[in-house]
Amino acid sequence: MPYIVEDGVRLYYEEMGSGTPILFIHPPGMGHIVFRHQQSLSSHFRIIMYDMRGNGKSSPSNRPITIPLLADDICRLLNALDVKQAIICGYSNGGSIALEFALRYPHKVKKLILIGGFSEVCTALLRYEFLLGIYAAKIGAISLLANVLAKSHEKNKKGQQEIKQYVRLVNKKDLVNMYEKGLTYSCTERLPLLRMPILLIYGARDYYMHPYEKLFRKNVPHAKIIYIENARHQIPTKHHCELNGILKTYCIT
């Protein structure tokens, strides 16, 4: 299995294809498997997917998790793979890590793509979702969380089972830590520092995420925003055809 060992932690990754590198960043608990429908993009790009520390096949963290630490892990991974610059694509709370990486290492980011992304948690519904995740992880209800994530992301039983099994690999302590740090993280005031091309992708029916568009429009007016019709939050899995078409067009141009 492909691993890099950095900072005393083994990070599992998969890569396929050639050309411009695109790195995908998953939300807490899900691991790289949430992007399995994006593997077909490898016919046009060098696709890199990985499991964050404490998630999937990567080893547990050897220190308390922070968003900057997770951003530094991405830098270590890209350096190990000899990637000088990549298109960075973060999904949901993975977008927070993508934002932090872009702010810390702007020279390594060719383009930044956020799917259902946000620069801080400042709405009641999103905050409630984080609190539910923290509570579920603290009481050890990982199987319940795995079932919820699987059913919300996949329509068929085979896909649901694969996600369930992968989510169950998460380290409980690290998951709690990631949810807590994600809840309090904010980079809104630093958004104007971002100069690279930015694409924001939201589901047209993902209403509780729409307020975050205003934060981006105000602070990074050069960002391009696309809404996927009839989509909610689970775009990489349930609307992968539309997403892959958008990514292909945007990343090639």
Side-chain angles (χ1 to χ4, degrees):
M1 291 185 180
Y3 288 94
I4 67 159
V5 181
E6 294 287 344
D7 189 40
V9 172
R10 291 200 316 164
L11 293 180
Y12 175 82
Y13 71 93
E14 293 184 4
E15 64 173 333
M16 57 209 75
S18 60
T20 301
I22 305 179
L23 174 76
F24 289 91
I25 308 172
H26 65 83
M30 298 209 71
H32 78 280
I33 196 170
V34 74
F35 296 117
R36 63 196 182 118
H37 296 290
Q38 280 65 61
Q39 292 179 359
S40 62
L41 291 169
S42 61
S43 59
H44 302 280
F45 309 98
R46 179 183 177 185
I47 300 300
I48 304 171
M49 305 175 179
Y50 78 110
D51 294 335
M52 289 185 281
R53 56 172 69 206
N55 290 253
K57 298 177 183 178
S58 291
S59 62
S61 184
N62 55 0
R63 61 169 114 167
I65 287 178
T66 65
I67 301 299
L69 174 63
L70 296 175
D72 289 345
D73 280 344
I74 295 173
C75 184
R76 297 183 185 104
L77 174 62
L78 293 180
N79 287 342
L81 298 179
D82 196 28
V83 175
K84 300 295 189 295
Q85 192 178 56
I87 297 171
I88 304 298
C89 181
Y91 166 47
S92 193
N93 194 209
S96 299
I97 302 163
L99 283 166
E100 183 64 26
F101 178 78
L103 288 163
R104 294 170 74 85
Y105 304 98
H107 60 287
K108 286 187 168 293
V109 182
K110 183 175 183 179
K111 295 181 179 181
L112 178 63
I113 303 171
L114 305 180
I115 306 168
F118 44 91
S119 58
E120 62 177 282
V121 178
C122 59
T123 58
L125 285 175
L126 186 57
R127 179 177 176 80
Y128 180 67
E129 184 176 292
F130 268 84
L131 292 174
L132 281 178
I134 292 170
Y135 177 74
K138 281 186 174 180
I139 66 173
I142 302 300
S143 292
L144 174 61
L145 183 62
N147 288 337
V148 171
L149 290 172
K151 289 183 178 180
S152 65
H153 279 82
E154 287 287 358
K155 299 176 182 178
N156 64 77
K157 291 186 177 180
K158 181 181 178 182
Q160 290 177 2
Q161 189 60 30
E162 290 178 353
I163 289 181
K164 284 181 191 177
Q165 292 176 348
Y166 217 78
V167 173
R168 288 170 183 161
L169 297 175
V170 72
N171 179 274
K172 172 186 169 182
K173 181 180 179 181
D174 289 338
L175 183 59
V176 171
N177 211 338
M178 290 181 73
Y179 275 133
E180 290 178 338
K181 297 303 182 183
L183 177 61
T184 59
Y185 176 77
S186 175
C187 66
T188 303
E189 292 184 357
R190 293 184 289 154
L191 288 178
L193 298 175
L194 297 174
R195 296 287 185 264
M196 71 284 294
I198 300 173
L199 175 63
L200 307 174
I201 303 173
Y202 292 105
R205 299 177 63 191
D206 192 12
Y207 303 116
Y208 78 107
M209 295 303 303
H210 292 179
Y212 293 98
E213 174 196 340
K214 296 179 181 178
L215 290 179
F216 286 108
R217 284 195 183 279
K218 177 181 178 181
N219 292 284
V220 278
H222 70 279
K224 182 178 180 181
I225 302 175
I226 294 178
Y227 281 91
I228 296 181
E229 188 176 356
N230 296 320
R232 295 189 185 275
H233 195 63
Q234 299 78 13
I235 292 173
T237 53
K238 288 190 171 179
H239 296 270
H240 54 88
C241 291
E242 298 97 319
L243 174 62
N244 290 357
I246 292 169
L247 294 179
K248 180 181 175 182
T249 300
Y250 184 72
C251 295
I252 287 178
T253 56

